[in-house]
Each structure stands twice: as C-alpha cells, then as structure tokens.
Amino acid sequence: MPPAKESASNIRVFYDGACPSCQRDRRQYDRLAGRGSDQVEWVDITGKDEELKAKGIDPKAALQELHVEDQDGVIHSELDAYALLMSRAPLLKPLAWLITLPLIRPLLSRLYHRMVTKRLERTGRMP
C-alpha cells in the first residue's frame, strides 16, 4: 500500500482488490478523475479484516458495498461513498449529485446490491 498522502482533503477508498471489475472501476476512475485522483488513497480490503474492524467496517459489508473514509475519519458506505468519491473528479461531479436524488437513490441502491450479490455468488465469495 502506498504511503498516505498528507493533504487534509484526501479520502481513503476501501475496495475489493480481488475483484477484476472493481480493479477496472478503479483504473477508470483514475483516468476520469485526472488530478483529482491524487486526493484518493486506494486500500485493497483483501485479507485486511482487522484493519477494517478497527475502522468500524464489517468485513462482510466491505465486500458488499463500497466504503470511503473522508478527511475527518468518517466512514461513508454504499451510494454515499460513491457520491463522495465521484465528487473529487470534475467529470463525475454531476453524477455524484444525480445518484443522491431522492427518486434515483433507492432504485440505484437496489440495482447496485443486486449486481454485487450476483458477482459475489458467481465467484463463490458471497459472505
């Protein structure tokens, strides 16, 4: 894991590094974020159950939804985590706003969980 960056505006993204689509998403985010990617520290959760627990993150939940730690140490999950992450990339800011809208959020949340569950079941990693 690369050393933590010193800027107070950094966030830490806890992602499933054993998931090929999660790795692709991370690379795509870095491309779209440009310089905004400098504000993001990526933490592979694979084999880091104790570190997750120390942060108050259930390791099983970490496999099922994205978790992001903001600059104040607050942990955000699911769509809140995605919105925080996307808000760091100028091209993704409108999407960050869109996914938090009251009519969009519950539908997108169900779809997101369905997709993640299928992926974990297909790979035999469903907690």
Side-chain angles (χ1 to χ4, degrees), residues 6-34:
E6 297 301 318
S7 171
S9 62
N10 286 344
I11 59 174
R12 295 180 80 204
V13 178
F14 298 90
Y15 78 105
D16 183 0
C19 162
S21 66
C22 300
Q23 292 173 7
R24 274 191 307 276
D25 290 347
R26 175 190 170 176
R27 288 189 301 270
Q28 184 175 5
Y29 175 84
D30 285 341
R31 279 193 302 276
L32 291 172

Side-chain angles (χ1 to χ4, degrees), residues 79 83 86 92-106 108:
L79 293 180
M86 287 188 244
L92 299 175
K93 279 184 182 184
L95 187 56
W97 171 79
L98 182 68
I99 68 172
T100 61
L101 291 175
L103 294 174
I104 304 266
R105 183 184 183 97
L108 191 55

Side-chain angles (χ1 to χ4, degrees), residues 28-42:
Q28 184 175 5
Y29 175 84
D30 285 341
R31 279 193 302 276
L32 291 172
R35 288 188 178 180
S37 68
D38 293 343
Q39 299 176 359
V40 178
E41 177 186 352
W42 296 91

Side-chain angles (χ1 to χ4, degrees), residues 74-120:
V74 176
I75 302 293
H76 304 264
S77 61
E78 198 200 38
L79 293 180
D80 291 334
Y82 278 101
L84 180 59
L85 177 60
M86 287 188 244
S87 71
R88 300 299 169 117
L91 288 174
L92 299 175
K93 279 184 182 184
L95 187 56
W97 171 79
L98 182 68
I99 68 172
T100 61
L101 291 175
L103 294 174
I104 304 266
R105 183 184 183 97
L107 297 171
L108 191 55
S109 178
R110 282 194 292 277
L111 177 64
Y112 170 71
H113 282 284
R114 188 175 301 138
M115 288 172 40
V116 170
T117 298
K118 284 182 181 182
R119 174 181 57 84
L120 291 171

